[in-house]
Amino acid sequence: MIMNVFANRWGKLGAEILILAFIFLFVQYFITVGVFNQYHQIIITSLCINIILAVSLNLINGFTGQLSLGHAGFMAVGAYVSVVLTKFMGMPFLVGLVGGCLAAAAAGFVIGVPTLRLKGDYLAIATLGFGEIIRVILQNIEYVGGPAGIVGIPKMTTWGWLFAGVVITIATIQNLINSSYGRAIISVREDEIASEVMGINITSYKVLAFVIGAFFAGLAGGLYAHYFYIIKPETFNFLKSFDVLVMVVLGGLGSTTGAVIAAAFITLLSAALQAFPAIRMIIYALILILLMIYRPQGLMGNKELSVKILGKIWSGKNDAA
Amino acid sequence: MLELMQQIVNGLSLGAIYALIALGYTMVYGIIKLINFAHGDVMMVGAYVGFFSVSMLGTNIVVAMIFAMLACALLGVIIEKVAYKPLRRATRIAALITAIGVSLFLEYTTIFFLTPQQRIFPQGTFPVQDYSLAGISVSNKDIFIFISAILLMVILQFIVKNTKTGKAMRAVSEDKDAAVLMGINVDNTISVTFAIGSALAAAAGVMIGVYYNTINPLMGILPGLKAFVAAVLGGIGIIPGAMVGGFILGILETLVSGYGNSLYRDAVAFGILILILLIKPTGIFGKNTGEKV
Amino acid sequence: MMLLKINNLCKSFGGLSAVLNFNLEIRENELIGLIGPNGAGKTTVFNLITGVYKPDAGEIIFKGENIGGLPPYVICQKGIARTFQNIRLFNNLTVMENVKIALHKNVPYSLPAALFRLNSFYRGEKEIEEEAIRWLKLFNLDHRREEIASSLPYGEQRRLEIARALATHPTLLILDEPAAGMNPNETLELMELIRRLRDEFKLAILLIEHDMSLVMGVCERIYVLDYGQVIAEGKPEEIRNNKRVIEAYLGEEV
């Protein structure tokens, strides 16, 4: 199969670009002619942001096997830094976004280096703690509005930015995973001792995954801030991290397509339940519990959804997951 | 100096509450290695049971606390049987997600039936009186909370150390498979652990009601998280560790809001958490164990 | 030339000495056996050499440099590779991926090249692919390429683990009970393979083994360990007739 990729490298790339361009234009057309109204656009925005968050957290939790519960903290760093750059300093949106990503990645590095020595539950709690500390610090900085946050952020996030964000996130993480560096990362998840004895510096690969994951969480934060007009520290509390974790586990740890599908599922589910706010969270909670009881490995397991597997399901030869 | 002593005394009752919640976390973690994120919400349910017992049945606070403990012991067992038991062989992360699900379920079911509004304990539930002792003032609230918490911890220690059930609990947390071979009913032992842990949380919930006078459906989240920090601080899975961790955390938090910036109060818990994890991840009373190669 | 020289190595666990004043010398291209009763400290010695444990005292001089206490990945990069007594493959990954992970040590392209899919990435991946196939062919595992490592029969898992270790291009290969669980026939094949690897790749090999026919058959020199200390050292025939060794193995046929 890999030989196939080599043979058709340019052909495959062309086909991918064609499909992406089609999706982009398709949605753009519906937005322009007004089939997708304000409400639909909010759902599309949430969807894209959730995909970026889930795919990037999946790199840390799914592929590297390091249980992190601090993703909302990195999202917050990206959101605040990007807004400071655009709204307070008058920089262009792109500079704001990239600045937010880099700041989040730096936060990921600073937090990752000490905490990634920890394992399992201890790491989970430490990252949760760091995420909360980021939030409390933001609450105490007057410059960014303290607990009230920043209001009146110019709306710059468009479908184009969102789409580009999603594509870049998925492409980067897939390129990483399907390379020798990605295999090193996966080997850390599989068996740390064997991996280290094979010459892999496990700490540096954990930090690498953590930094890249944080980078894209920062991207999600920047896109979020410049769509929803207002950001406040409370938005990025640990419940937000849980939300993303739920998507990742629901999709199947270590499956990028799973993360995308689960992010879409959760976003659409909460949009559909918007009409019943009273029971929305109850249903959400019940679905979580039931899914974990009946399908603890998530929708996709650690497999990827591909044309090949779809074909197999079609012909009834294989149980997809 | 007097000021410092005063702050420490103030911290004792908060610390006692954290310690009680932390005990449930630590017992459950010790026995099934699950961070029971719903534990804080069980405490919230306990606070509500206590509230209704006082406001509708007109009981006094001690009876309310007993009602709350009974109700939550039952709730804890139901949660364990329905949500966690099917996942005992699943991955840790699946169990963790389920715990988050249970937590959300308890919070939003409460909101659904009882509205998100906060409720205030009726006037006269607990007539406050301040005493002064060598220049340090203590309220009867604090004394009540402190003494009942200590009493519950003593009872717990007795159960764990001296009863057959307690021995079974320790055996199961040491080695589940070996415990089965020794004829211990693991399922029942886990249920009892949940019942005891949840009852302690319920008592803590009623105490929080007394302490802050108000309760609301989301009141369990933050104290729950902090109590968890207390459990980690003492060494998760270790019962005396949870008590000591709870008191340390309560006192430090009171000191920070007394002397420094109260906005940073919530950061204290997490700062401590990270320090302890980096210095000694197994906690104050924990033992270091390495992986066998 | 001297490849590995261990001087007075010590390691204890909670007051119990697992390895005490251990000395060992390996020259280039030598085939050395390390034997001893269960619990003698053999695997601990391996864990110390490969950095899984840190020594309490003593030196481990590899190519003239003390590597004692360095992290395992650095020691691997310096040219020591190993297998494990209880096989530690990457169980959920394919046979091919297992070998490719070992090849990461000499990854021929940079991280940005991977992220941006530069030409060097495609060239490098092709090299990795080809080399991995070469290793699998050498160990007769080529037909299993796409299978999940844990699904292989036991003997093949052992072979894959050796292939994976060799793929890191070591100058010293350390094998922890390579014949454990193998039938006599497989053991014979393994002996042949070990000799061949040594000659073909100019390797020094250090192995722990309980199967005496294998140890006596392939090793040039043997160290005998008991209670963490070397009680005898020499050629197989010398060890066979050593009184202290026979005592240590009382009841076992040597």
Side-chain angles (χ1 to χ4, degrees):
Chain A
M1 197 186 107
I2 289 165
M3 298 310 288
N4 225 346
V5 175
F6 292 130
N8 301 324
R9 181 177 148 201
W10 297 110
K12 199 177 161 236
L13 188 66
E16 280 170 358
I17 290 173
L18 220 64
I19 292 169
L20 290 177
F22 176 74
I23 297 173
F24 172 73
L25 290 173
F26 184 79
V27 175
Q28 186 62 53
Y29 174 77
F30 277 111
I31 291 172
T32 314
V33 301
V35 175
F36 285 159
N37 60 24
Q38 200 63 37
Y39 170 69
H40 296 133
Q41 287 179 40
I42 289 176
I43 294 176
I44 291 172
T45 306
S46 308
L47 175 63
C48 292
I49 288 168
N50 283 339
I51 289 175
I52 295 173
L53 287 171
V55 170
S56 58
L57 184 65
N58 187 40
L59 173 65
I60 301 171
N61 284 6
F63 288 118
T64 323
Q66 305 302 307
L67 186 47
S68 165
L69 293 179
H71 223 48
F74 301 128
M75 188 185 175
V77 172
Y80 272 84
V81 170
S82 68
V83 171
V84 166
L85 288 173
T86 57
K87 184 175 154 70
F88 293 4
M89 299 183 170
M91 307 256 194
F93 187 35
L94 182 64
V95 176
L97 276 185
V98 173
C101 293
L102 291 175
F109 183 79
V110 170
I111 293 171
V113 168
T115 50
L116 286 166
R117 292 186 296 139
L118 302 168
K119 290 192 169 71
D121 292 346
Y122 289 115
L123 176 65
I125 307 150
T127 48
L128 188 150
F130 266 118
E132 287 295 281
I133 285 177
I134 290 178
R135 182 177 65 80
V136 176
I137 290 174
L138 287 173
Q139 267 173 358
N140 286 285
I141 302 177
E142 274 314 310
Y143 180 64
V144 292
I150 305 173
V151 189
I153 302 162
K155 185 170 172 178
M156 297 182 187
T157 302
T158 60
W159 162 241
W161 286 103
L162 289 164
F163 187 72
V166 169
V167 170
I168 291 171
T169 306
I170 294 177
T172 310
I173 287 173
Q174 282 307 100
N175 284 354
L176 173 67
I177 284 308
N178 295 314
S179 77
S180 192
Y181 296 90
R183 287 190 291 267
I185 282 174
I186 291 172
S187 79
V188 173
R189 173 189 75 193
E190 290 295 312
D191 186 333
E192 291 198 1
I193 287 176
S195 172
E196 218 178 355
V197 165
M198 291 299 117
I200 287 160
N201 181 350
I202 55 173
T203 313
S204 70
Y205 281 100
K206 285 182 193 173
V207 173
L208 175 71
F210 208 69
V211 167
I212 293 178
F215 181 92
F216 288 112
L219 176 63
L223 291 169
Y224 176 93
H226 291 86
Y227 190 88
F228 289 104
Y229 183 72
I230 174 172
I231 49 170
K232 48 184 180 183
E234 207 42 50
T235 312
F236 307 105
N237 65 10
F238 69 95
L239 293 173
K240 181 73 202 169
S241 298
F242 281 2
D243 255 1
V244 186
L245 178 72
V246 164
M247 292 174 204
V248 171
V249 176
L250 204 59
L253 284 164
S255 166
T256 298
T257 37
V260 173
I261 292 169
F265 175 74
I266 298 270
T267 313
L268 295 177
L269 178 74
S270 56
L273 293 175
Q274 206 88 56
F276 319 94
I279 54 166
R280 176 172 153 241
M281 289 304 287
I282 300 178
I283 292 178
Y284 178 70
L286 284 177
I287 288 177
L288 270 192
I289 298 170
L290 290 176
L291 261 166
M292 283 304 109
I293 290 174
Y294 291 106
R295 199 162 170 78
Q297 75 274 43
L299 297 170
M300 296 294 298
N302 62 0
K303 301 203 170 47
E304 296 292 350
L305 188 64
S306 66
V307 182
K308 210 168 130 193
I309 290 181
L310 279 178
K312 278 185 184 166
I313 301 171
W314 189 252
S315 58
K317 274 182 202 155
N318 192 4
D319 164 26
Chain B
M1 194 58 210
L2 204 63
E3 169 76 14
L4 179 70
M5 287 302 292
Q6 178 70 55
Q7 295 290 356
I8 290 175
V9 169
N10 289 350
L12 280 178
S13 45
L14 187 62
I17 293 173
Y18 286 155
L20 278 183
I21 311 174
L23 282 169
Y25 266 118
T26 239
M27 287 165 68
V28 166
Y29 190 91
I31 210 156
I32 55 170
K33 300 284 173 285
L34 166 74
I35 302 177
N36 182 11
F37 269 109
H39 192 62
D41 302 295
V42 172
M43 179 209 82
M44 175 272 296
V45 173
Y48 270 88
V49 174
F51 171 79
F52 284 116
S53 165
V54 169
S55 65
M56 289 171 78
L57 304 176
T59 64
N60 70 30
I61 200 79
V62 177
V63 175
M65 200 184 271
I66 291 169
F67 277 166
M69 288 173 75
L70 290 174
C72 284
L74 185 66
L75 176 67
V77 172
I78 292 172
I79 291 173
E80 195 274 322
K81 292 268 183 238
V82 174
Y84 299 152
K85 197 179 166 202
L87 283 159
R88 221 170 273 164
R89 297 271 162 210
T91 56
R92 301 270 277 277
I93 196 164
L96 190 71
I97 299 273
T98 311
I100 294 170
V102 173
S103 164
L104 292 174
F105 180 78
L106 291 177
E107 286 161 16
Y108 288 91
T109 312
T110 310
I111 288 179
F112 182 71
F113 286 109
L114 302 172
T115 77
Q117 255 127 41
Q118 65 173 26
R119 284 165 199 257
I120 300 163
F121 270 75
Q123 284 284 311
T125 309
F126 206 93
V128 183
Q129 220 171 351
D130 283 322
Y131 305 99
S132 186
L133 214 120
I136 296 167
S137 82
V138 196
S139 79
N140 57 346
K141 249 185 190 180
D142 292 323
I143 295 172
F144 168 72
I145 290 174
F146 186 75
I147 289 180
S148 36
I150 295 290
L151 196 67
L152 287 171
M153 287 181 214
V154 170
I155 296 173
L156 176 72
Q157 272 298 344
F158 176 79
I159 293 176
V160 172
K161 289 262 184 256
N162 299 323
T163 65
K164 216 176 158 187
T165 319
K167 279 180 193 150
M169 281 163 64
R170 283 186 286 153
V172 174
S173 70
E174 196 72 36
D175 186 334
K176 209 177 289 166
D177 297 323
V180 175
L181 296 175
M182 293 298 114
I184 292 170
N185 186 333
V186 172
D187 282 346
N188 282 354
T189 309
I190 292 174
S191 293
V192 171
T193 307
F194 267 87
I196 295 176
S198 304
L200 292 176
V206 176
M207 289 177 192
I208 285 194
V210 171
Y211 189 83
Y212 293 115
N213 219 15
T214 64
I215 58 172
N216 70 70
L218 300 179
M219 67 184 271
I221 298 175
L222 213 52
L225 218 51
K226 287 178 185 170
F228 183 72
V229 172
V232 176
L233 180 62
I236 192 142
I238 303 165
I239 288 176
M243 299 181 194
V244 173
F247 280 112
I248 293 179
L249 190 62
I251 290 169
L252 280 178
E253 221 183 274
T254 318
L255 285 178
V256 167
S257 33
Y259 283 106
N261 185 342
S262 64
L263 273 173
Y264 275 109
R265 197 188 64 196
D266 291 346
V268 173
F270 298 110
I272 292 173
L273 172 72
I274 285 165
L275 276 182
I276 191 83
L277 286 178
L278 296 182
I279 298 165
K280 194 165 185 295
T282 45
I284 298 173
F285 293 95
K287 282 193 244 48
N288 285 314
T289 48
E291 189 180 351
K292 185 155 166 51
V293 181
Chain C
M1 205 192 110
M2 195 65 69
L3 185 66
L4 182 77
K5 188 165 179 358
I6 298 179
N7 298 324
N8 297 320
L9 191 65
C10 299
K11 177 75 183 175
S12 58
F13 297 101
L16 192 78
S17 273
V19 174
L20 192 63
N21 290 324
F22 177 80
N23 295 294
L24 175 139
E25 289 178 358
I26 303 177
R27 276 178 284 278
E28 275 178 11
N29 214 11
E30 225 180 354
L31 227 166
I32 305 289
L34 181 62
I35 63 172
N38 281 324
K42 305 179 297 286
T43 298
T44 306
V45 169
F46 276 22
N47 284 334
L48 288 166
I49 298 175
T50 52
V52 177
Y53 295 157
K54 306 224 173 305
D56 295 338
E59 299 175 309
I60 304 169
I61 312 285
F62 182 65
K63 293 179 185 165
E65 182 191 359
N66 187 5
I67 57 164
L70 291 179
Y73 73 94
V74 175
I75 291 174
C76 170
Q77 283 161 2
K78 293 192 182 296
I80 300 180
R82 73 174 285 184
T83 65
F84 293 88
Q85 190 176 343
N86 43 352
I87 310 186
R88 292 185 92 121
L89 290 170
F90 302 116
N91 277 327
N92 302 312
L93 306 183
T94 64
V95 169
M96 189 74 168
E97 283 167 329
N98 265 276
V99 178
K100 280 183 174 179
I101 286 166
L103 292 170
H104 181 68
K105 187 185 151 197
N106 301 314
V107 57
Y109 53 86
S110 66
L111 179 63
L115 295 182
F116 304 115
R117 286 287 188 262
L118 303 182
N119 258 323
S120 61
F121 165 78
Y122 290 97
R123 266 201 317 273
E125 272 299 295
K126 205 169 162 207
E127 278 171 36
I128 292 172
E129 175 96 11
E130 285 165 1
E131 185 177 349
I133 291 173
R134 273 207 304 280
W135 286 114
L136 291 179
K137 280 193 173 138
L138 185 70
F139 283 82
N140 200 15
L141 288 164
D142 190 37
H143 58 293
R144 300 278 198 192
R145 243 186 256 185
E146 295 304 321
E147 279 174 53
I148 299 297
S150 59
S151 72
L152 296 188
Y154 192 77
E156 291 190 342
Q157 289 196 24
R158 284 253 175 239
R159 288 216 303 272
L160 175 57
E161 213 193 7
I162 300 175
R164 189 182 66 173
L166 276 179
T168 66
H169 298 272
T171 38
L172 172 62
L173 177 66
I174 300 186
L175 303 173
D176 199 344
E177 298 197 25
M182 286 189 176
N183 63 36
N185 231 345
E186 287 175 316
T187 307
L188 218 61
E189 279 176 26
L190 183 73
M191 276 168 71
E192 205 38 60
L193 182 67
I194 290 175
R195 272 201 211 99
R196 222 180 83 205
L197 293 175
R198 194 268 301 261
D199 297 338
E200 205 166 314
F201 298 99
K202 301 277 171 279
L203 279 174
I205 297 177
L206 172 63
L207 59 87
I208 293 177
E209 190 47 70
H210 282 298
D211 189 317
M212 287 304 152
S213 65
L214 185 134
V215 178
M216 297 292 170
V218 302
C219 294
E220 288 152 353
R221 276 190 303 128
I222 295 171
Y223 286 81
V224 187
L225 203 60
D226 197 21
Y227 293 109
Q229 283 177 299
V230 176
I231 55 168
E233 184 246 310
K235 298 203 162 64
E237 51 272 26
E238 293 166 11
I239 296 299
R240 212 187 298 266
N241 302 317
N242 186 304
K243 225 177 138 219
R244 285 190 69 189
V245 178
I246 296 169
E247 271 168 23
Y249 273 96
L250 201 66
E252 277 191 53
E253 212 175 317
V254 181

